[in-house]
Structure formats: C-alpha cells, structure tokens
Amino acid sequence: QVQLVESGGGSVQPGGSLRLSCAASGSIFRVNFMGWYRQAPGKERELVARISSGGRTTYADSVKGRFTISRDNAKNTVYLQMNSLKPEDTAVYYCNVDVMAPSYIVNKYWGQGTQVTVSS
C-alpha cells in the first residue's frame, strides 16, 4: 500500500502565498506523475497542475504564472507553491500520485485533501 500525507493548507488574504506538500510512502518502486487537483463547493474536481517524473509540467490556465509545481524524487514528495492567491482559488486541494509498485502494477492514489481559503 501507499500513503500520501498532505500539509500546508490554511487561510490567507488575497495576494498572499501558500505552499502545499505531499509525501508518498509505502510500497513504491517508482513514482510517475504527481499532481494537484482542487474541488470548490458545488464544483467538480479539477486539475491544478501536474509534473512528470522527468520534470515536465502542466498547469490549468487559471493558475499559470501564479502557481509552481515541483517535486523531490529522492523524497517522493510533490510541492505546490501558490502565489498571488485569489478568492476563486478557495477549495480543497488533493494530491494525486501514480505509483508503480514492485510488482510493476501502476495505481493512482489520492491524498486526504487540505483546505485552502483565500479571503479578506
């Protein structure tokens, strides 16, 4: 099994910054894609950003230029640096990781979610 532990959410004023972290542990042979999704009340879960094992990144248009995703492969950890936060960024943020087990089977795992609230 694989466990994901998220940290770094909280409340911030518009224009502020937060940094989310998500660490994967357990039965891991290799971690492939790592990413962040978010879900606001009454809305569907959406991709925020993701990063490949080689460092290739993808961002939602709404966060380009404000958010930066990065990863530490040695620690199996993904980060999301969020700057210039807006009220519309308010949501529960979920870490999502594709993990190849020692059996070479790939499974997708979700973190428990961390609340980000942007409000004055």
Side-chain angles (χ1 to χ4, degrees), residues 16-29:
S17 298
L18 286 172
R19 188 189 193 212
L20 306 182
S21 299
C22 172
S25 63
S27 183
I28 297 172
F29 175 72

Side-chain angles (χ1 to χ4, degrees), residues 47-68:
L47 173 68
V48 176
R50 69 173 188 168
I51 184 169
S52 71
S53 57
R56 180 175 296 181
T57 58
T58 302
Y59 294 94
D61 288 343
S62 59
V63 307
K64 283 181 181 177
R66 300 188 298 122
F67 292 9
T68 302

Side-chain angles (χ1 to χ4, degrees), residues 22 33-37 47 49-51 69 78 94-97:
C22 172
F33 278 97
M34 307 183 84
W36 293 93
Y37 288 72
L47 173 68
R50 69 173 188 168
I51 184 169
I69 190 170
V78 62
Y94 296 92
C95 172
N96 174 259
V97 177

